[in-house]
Amino acid sequence: MLGLKRGGAINRISNLFIILVSVIALLFLFINLVFAPHHPYQEKDSMFECGFHSFQQSRSPFNIAFFYICLVYLLLLLLLLDLEILLTSPFAVSEWICK
């Protein structure tokens, strides 16, 4: 079995734990959907700003150019950080193993 017997009990316990937590989470979600009160009304769905009704539409049109600039900046930043991690991780791992 390619050496998988070594941690068999731990793997079974962790698998059981993951299954148990998933079942409990789904059970709680189902209970909430069934028993929670759902009474939407106009006041609840209306916009609310700092304790008073808004004078105008609070959702203004957003210029998509700002979104593109942020997206490019974010992608470049993540690309640089990913490359930095990729280049420095072998040194960190080799230092940890050698000590």
Side-chain angles (χ1 to χ4, degrees):
M1 284 287 249
L2 300 172
L4 295 178
K5 288 187 172 188
R6 191 176 187 191
I10 294 173
N11 286 339
R12 277 184 261 142
I13 291 172
S14 63
N15 288 342
L16 180 66
F17 180 72
I18 290 171
I19 291 171
L20 182 68
V21 167
S22 300
V23 167
I24 290 174
L26 290 173
L27 180 70
F28 284 160
L29 182 64
F30 178 74
I31 290 172
N32 182 32
L33 290 174
V34 170
F35 294 114
H38 300 285
H39 304 293
Y41 53 94
Q42 185 178 4
E43 188 68 27
K44 191 175 186 179
D45 292 334
S46 66
M47 292 175 277
F48 184 77
E49 293 184 12
C50 301
F52 59 89
H53 294 286
S54 60
F55 299 117
Q56 60 185 356
Q57 180 70 20
S58 60
R59 294 182 185 256
S60 60
F62 185 73
N63 191 353
I64 198 71
F66 293 114
F67 176 73
Y68 286 144
I69 291 170
C70 292
L71 186 64
V72 168
Y73 179 73
L74 182 65
L75 288 176
L76 287 175
L77 186 66
L78 287 177
L79 182 66
L80 289 175
L81 288 177
D82 285 343
L83 287 177
E84 181 182 332
I85 291 170
L86 181 70
L87 293 174
T88 58
S89 60
F91 299 113
V93 171
S94 66
E95 285 294 320
W96 182 70
I97 291 174
C98 291
K99 285 187 178 184

